[in-house]
Every structure is written in structure tokens, then in C-alpha cells.
Amino acid sequence: MSDALLLTAIAGGTVLATGVGALPVITLGAAHARAAQGVLSGLAAGVMAVAATVGLIKPAAEQGSAVTVVLAVTAGAVALVLSRIALRSHARHNGSSEAGARSLLVIGVLFVHSLPEGFAIGSAFASSQAGLSAFVIAAIAIQNVPEGTATAAAMQPAGYGAWKQFWGAVLTSVPQVPGALVAWLAVERIDGLLPASFALAGGAMLALVVVDLLPDAWKHASHVRVVMGTALGAVLMLAVGAALEV
């Protein structure tokens, strides 16, 4: 199998992990699934924060200049925040109901979030550092599950059926496939681009934790449960990193 096909298959696997997150909503209903969403969002925040710092920003700092890393991290964070603001405005003006507007916002935000996550997968795949690719891919797949739960939980009250909830959740992560391929091809063809690519994806992922995952967790669970979920996610990824010697 060629590297391009292998990367496509890997990214496709992380996309399907989002659909897995929709299954609790389909089987239990949105209300019960939302009860666990706070802890799941906290878990995803811990996973994402460790993946961004240990798996992306740290290697970027080791391989690139401080100026390049700082600028790329900042650019990634700013791009994600601006896209979120634009999507919020669009959802408020185009949703046919409060539930419809919320479902549109959740799908749109997660769809945009998936692109830098794809960049992270492709950049890690292009790295020669042992274990780094598996570490970053595992992190993306794990955090995709609660994103799928959030998507389906927003779609169900808007009247979407089970299959639409499942494929709607999967749709939010589809940009991970082209994002991974673009980042991998760019890093392969442009010398010295890897540190900037790592830092860009890392900045966007840290912004995702701060502006989306943790605020969402605070809204749906007690602070104690959120902290426990976040700590569990961080410990899980640190253990994965230690096992892979990242």
C-alpha cells in the first residue's frame, strides 16, 4: 500500500470514530447522552491538550526556531477562533429554530475544527520521530468520540433521525482526510516546513481546548467532574506517550 493510501485509511479511521460517539445518543436519547457530555468533553480536553503540547508543539520547538513556532502557534489559534466567531454569526441568522441553529453551529464548528486536526495527523505521519505518528493519531481518534456525541445530541432535538445523526457526526470529521493529505504532501515537498506545520496544528488544537471543549464541559457537568475527566484524559495520553516513547 502506498503512503498516500495508508494515510487516507488512517485518517478515515479517525473520521469513523466520530460516528461511534453518536451511538450513545441514538440508543439512549439526547438527554441521557448530554448528561455524560461534560465529562466526555473534559476527557477530550485533557487528551487534546497533551497531544498538542507533547505531540506537536514540543517537537516543533525542538526542530524549528522559536520565532517560527510562536508565530505558527498564534496563527493556528487565531484562525480557529475567527472561524468559530464567523460560524456563530452564520448559525444565528440561518437556523430555522433554536434547536436548528444549535445543531448548525455544532456541526459547523466541529467541521472547521477537523481541518487542523487533519493537519496534525498528516504532519505527524511525515515525521521521522518514532511513535509520534501513532501518538497523535490515537489522540485525534479518542477526542473524536465525544465530538460525535455532541453533534448527535444537538441534532436529535432538531428532529434528525438516527442515521442522519450518525452520518452528521461523521461529516464533521471528514476534513481530517484532505487536511492530513495536504499537510503530509506539503511537509514532504517543502524542506523545513514540519516545525511550522506542527506548531500551526498545535495552536489550533490548544485554542479548541480553551474556547470549545472546556467551556462546553463546564456547562454540562460539575467542575469536579470536569476536572476529573480532564485529568483522566491527560493521564491517558501521557501513558500512551510513555508507551510509545514520545
Side-chain angles (χ1 to χ4, degrees), residues 52-53 55-78 192-204 206:
T53 52
L56 295 171
I57 297 175
K58 179 174 174 285
E62 293 171 347
Q63 300 175 39
S65 69
V67 173
T68 297
V69 172
V70 170
L71 289 177
V73 167
T74 302
V78 169
L193 185 62
L194 185 59
S197 180
F198 271 158
L200 185 72
L206 284 180

Side-chain angles (χ1 to χ4, degrees), residues 84-243:
R84 183 180 175 84
I85 292 172
L87 284 166
R88 277 190 178 279
S89 176
H90 180 75
R92 286 170 182 160
H93 288 91
N94 292 278
S96 58
S97 64
E98 182 178 350
R102 172 171 171 74
S103 65
L104 177 63
L105 175 62
V106 170
I107 292 172
V109 167
L110 293 180
F111 188 87
V112 172
H113 288 174
S114 292
L115 190 59
E117 291 166 2
F119 291 162
I121 293 172
S123 300
F125 188 80
S127 173
S128 59
Q129 183 176 340
L132 184 61
S133 179
F135 177 76
V136 172
I137 291 165
I140 300 299
I142 291 170
Q143 67 86 36
N144 272 356
V145 175
E147 287 188 1
T149 303
T151 302
M155 293 178 69
Q156 192 172 85
Y160 292 98
W163 280 111
K164 288 185 177 180
Q165 292 171 45
F166 177 84
W167 289 113
V170 171
L171 175 65
T172 63
S173 291
V174 165
Q176 288 177 6
V177 177
L181 290 169
V182 167
W184 171 66
L185 289 171
V187 170
E188 287 287 298
R189 284 163 172 72
I190 303 175
D191 291 337
L193 185 62
L194 185 59
S197 180
F198 271 158
L200 185 72
M205 288 166 66
L206 284 180
L208 170 61
V209 171
V210 174
V211 305
D212 185 74
L213 292 175
L214 287 179
D216 183 72
W218 289 148
K219 287 190 296 186
H220 298 105
S222 69
H223 289 186
V224 173
R225 295 179 69 187
V226 173
V227 170
M228 290 178 61
T230 304
L232 178 60
V235 169
L236 172 64
M237 286 317 300
L238 289 171
V240 171

Side-chain angles (χ1 to χ4, degrees), residues 5-16:
L5 288 176
L6 177 59
L7 178 57
T8 300
I10 290 171
T14 65
V15 170
L16 290 176

